[in-house]
Amino acid sequence: MATSWAEKGGATADQICRAASWSSLSTFSKHYKLDVVSPQLAFGRKFPPSGKQHSTHGPVSPNDWLREKDFTGYGAHTAKYCVGSVIYLRDFLNKIHNIKNIPPDSTLCTLDVNSLYTSIEHDRGIEAVTLTLREANMDSNLLDLCIDLLNLVLRENFFMFEDDFFLQTCGTAMGSNVAPAYANLYMDHFERTYVYPNSIFQQHALTWYRYIDDIFCIWKGDQTSLQGFFNTINEARPGLTFTLVQHNEEIAFLDTKILKDTSGNLNTDLFVKPTDCNSLLLYNSCHPRPTRDSLPRSQFKRVARIVSNSVTRNTRVQEMADKFKARNYPTRLLDLESSKALSTTEVTVPTMAKNPRLPFVHNHHPTMHRIHNLIRCHWPLLSKAYPHIPIFKDPPLMSMRRPQNLRDRVANSGSSAKKRN
């Protein structure tokens, strides 16, 4: 869509192919060139049936749509309106460790929403977001703008599969930036409508913690009441179904295993799937060295944060070190980072302050450190020549992005099914 609108705006096919890194002009003309003016998106094929349909009013030009909107005064971040029982791991661990004296007949449960992102009906999802933001006293003009933007993202999501274009008529694209906040707001509305008012839930649920579509619950009561509540929420919304897992002593939630001891207290351990294989990044991989050296630090900290028992923590750290050794990480690096992780009693979250330095962004290459050294060596020439420019005071921040790899070259999402056959 973007390349077709670029052509409509006056860009030549050669300019479009160079910007998109296409080696042949036929790539654009055969696979990406659309008649964006036609209300039927007439590019030689009809939209396939079976729930995939085209928009009745035709595709919307993002540029034309944005020109009609006034964004003045709407620069503030709106993430504060994402309310609900959303948790993050550190908050979840703190809550779990503070739970004491659980009744002996209680059951540890986890619930998972099946395919949440692609199961939310547009009308219901937009209704849930509107009600939640209105209850949060969001400015009416900003609320209207957010809903208009949400409608654009949800209802104009075209994608191509095997030479045919589709319009997504239910759910949101999993790679969309709005997807996590949209799913959280929808689930918050679902909980306040069907979960919290439920009389069975109020009588038997001791805890209810949710991370997007994963839920941890402690249920006090018999299996009949648990199954009855599960059936109720499973039938509340068409297309929205849950999976229930329960156990009296231990259960896995995200990457954490929760265990109930004989005193009714909860302990946590690292959860590893039975099918897990050692897929840690090889130390001789073509990645920046700071990236490779930071992996043991982050993983050891994760183990120390999750595992509550000190003896088990030492064992899990050693198991993690063995995984890194199998991927050729230096023993000295592993010993240093593991000792740091075990000696830290509490992991703090670093503050992400905005760096005022000028970023120098480029594709990663093993020889790029030579260019970095040259820039740092001769940067004083620039800072002395232009002392009145504050951004030249300090050397730039060297930032590297991933270059195109073999998978990017071979697995082209827009490749034709005929060519693959």
Side-chain angles (χ1 to χ4, degrees):
M1 292 294 292
T3 55
S4 300
W5 281 112
E7 184 194 37
K8 180 63 179 176
T12 64
D14 184 63
Q15 291 173 330
I16 293 173
C17 290
R18 284 204 308 270
S21 301
W22 294 332
S23 59
S24 174
L25 296 178
S26 61
T27 303
F28 171 62
S29 60
K30 288 184 178 180
H31 302 292
Y32 294 94
K33 185 176 180 180
L34 307 178
D35 183 3
V36 293
V37 179
S38 170
Q40 301 297 329
L41 197 60
F43 51 90
R45 296 181 180 87
K46 295 181 179 180
F47 281 83
S50 304
K52 310 298 193 300
Q53 61 186 31
H54 61 75
S55 175
T56 56
H57 51 75
V60 177
S61 165
N63 292 332
D64 293 341
W65 188 91
L66 292 173
R67 275 194 289 267
E68 297 175 357
K69 301 298 178 182
D70 180 16
F71 290 90
T72 305
Y74 295 144
H77 202 282
T78 57
K80 63 181 180 180
Y81 297 102
C82 298
V83 297
S85 62
V86 185
I87 59 171
Y88 58 96
L89 182 57
R90 190 172 292 104
D91 176 52
F92 174 71
L93 293 174
N94 291 335
K95 293 179 181 296
I96 289 297
H97 295 157
N98 290 330
I99 297 176
K100 307 294 182 182
N101 302 322
I102 299 176
D105 61 340
S106 60
T107 304
L108 306 179
C109 310
T110 60
L111 295 94
D112 176 60
V113 184
N114 299 319
S115 304
L116 173 61
Y117 284 3
T118 55
S119 300
I120 305 175
E121 299 177 356
H122 291 338
D123 292 336
R124 290 183 180 272
I126 293 173
E127 176 188 5
V129 173
T130 303
L131 292 174
T132 303
L133 297 183
R134 185 175 292 127
E135 292 173 0
N137 297 322
M138 175 182 278
D139 177 78
S140 59
N141 293 326
L142 179 57
L143 174 60
D144 294 340
L145 175 62
C146 289
I147 298 304
D148 287 343
L149 289 169
L150 186 59
N151 270 292
L152 177 67
V153 172
L154 295 177
R155 301 185 188 277
E156 301 295 338
N157 182 31
F158 294 87
F159 62 94
M160 187 176 72
F161 178 73
E162 293 189 347
D163 300 335
D164 290 323
F165 277 84
F166 296 81
L167 174 64
Q168 186 168 356
T169 58
C170 184
T172 177
M174 296 190 66
S176 172
N177 291 336
V178 76
Y182 176 64
N184 273 328
L185 290 175
Y186 178 78
M187 286 303 300
D188 171 70
H189 181 264
F190 178 88
E191 288 171 332
R192 290 186 289 120
T193 305
Y194 298 104
V195 177
Y196 303 146
N198 187 284
S199 58
I200 302 178
F201 174 85
Q202 295 175 356
Q203 182 180 357
H204 297 283
L206 300 179
T207 63
W208 179 273
Y209 301 136
R210 175 176 57 83
Y211 180 77
I212 305 181
D213 59 346
D214 294 296
I215 302 167
F216 172 76
C217 173
I218 301 178
W219 192 267
K220 181 182 180 300
D222 54 17
Q223 292 297 314
T224 303
S225 61
L226 176 59
Q227 192 62 43
F229 170 73
F230 174 71
N231 294 336
T232 300
I233 62 173
N234 230 15
E235 299 170 355
R237 286 280 176 88
L240 192 69
T241 58
F242 294 80
T243 300
L244 173 65
V245 178
Q246 55 179 309
H247 199 277
N248 290 331
E249 304 298 333
E250 63 179 50
I251 201 165
F253 180 71
L254 302 177
D255 62 346
T256 305
K257 180 187 291 185
I258 300 102
L259 306 99
K260 183 174 64 172
D261 59 23
T262 55
S263 302
N265 301 326
L266 294 181
N267 298 311
T268 54
D269 193 4
L270 188 68
F271 172 71
V272 180
K273 292 184 178 180
T275 57
D276 177 73
C277 60
N278 191 359
S279 58
L280 293 170
L281 183 70
L282 283 167
Y283 194 72
N284 58 355
S285 178
C286 185
H287 284 72
R289 182 171 179 176
T291 300
R292 290 174 284 152
D293 289 346
S294 66
L295 291 179
R297 182 185 312 120
S298 62
Q299 291 302 308
F300 287 142
K301 285 184 177 180
R302 183 173 71 95
V303 173
R305 182 175 61 246
I306 292 177
V307 183
S308 57
N309 182 275
S310 59
V311 177
T312 308
R313 186 185 304 122
N314 294 333
T315 304
R316 297 291 179 259
V317 168
Q318 184 58 48
E319 292 173 353
M320 185 64 68
D322 292 338
K323 288 185 177 181
F324 277 109
K325 288 180 181 178
R327 307 296 279 179
N328 301 324
Y329 280 73
T331 303
R332 181 179 178 182
L333 174 64
L334 299 177
D335 293 342
L336 175 64
E337 298 299 342
S338 61
S339 61
K340 285 183 179 180
L342 291 174
S343 62
T344 304
T345 56
E346 184 176 354
V347 181
T348 58
V349 182
T351 57
M352 301 299 291
K354 185 177 181 180
N355 198 316
R357 294 165 58 187
L358 180 71
F360 177 62
V361 185
H362 59 83
N363 288 344
H364 170 65
H365 192 273
T367 60
M368 282 302 296
H369 67 278
R370 301 175 185 175
I371 298 180
H372 293 179
N373 293 335
L374 285 174
I375 293 176
R376 294 190 184 99
C377 179
H378 299 289
W379 192 261
L381 298 175
L382 187 61
S383 59
K384 291 179 181 178
Y386 301 97
H388 57 285
I389 301 180
I391 203 170
F392 290 160
K393 179 180 178 181
D394 298 317
L397 180 66
M398 304 301 177
S399 304
M400 290 167 281
R401 57 175 172 248
R402 182 180 68 82
Q404 191 178 41
N405 56 24
L406 183 62
R407 182 181 63 180
D408 297 332
R409 297 175 181 274
V410 175
N412 185 359
S413 60
S415 60
S416 171
K418 296 180 180 179
K419 290 183 179 180
R420 290 197 299 270
N421 296 331

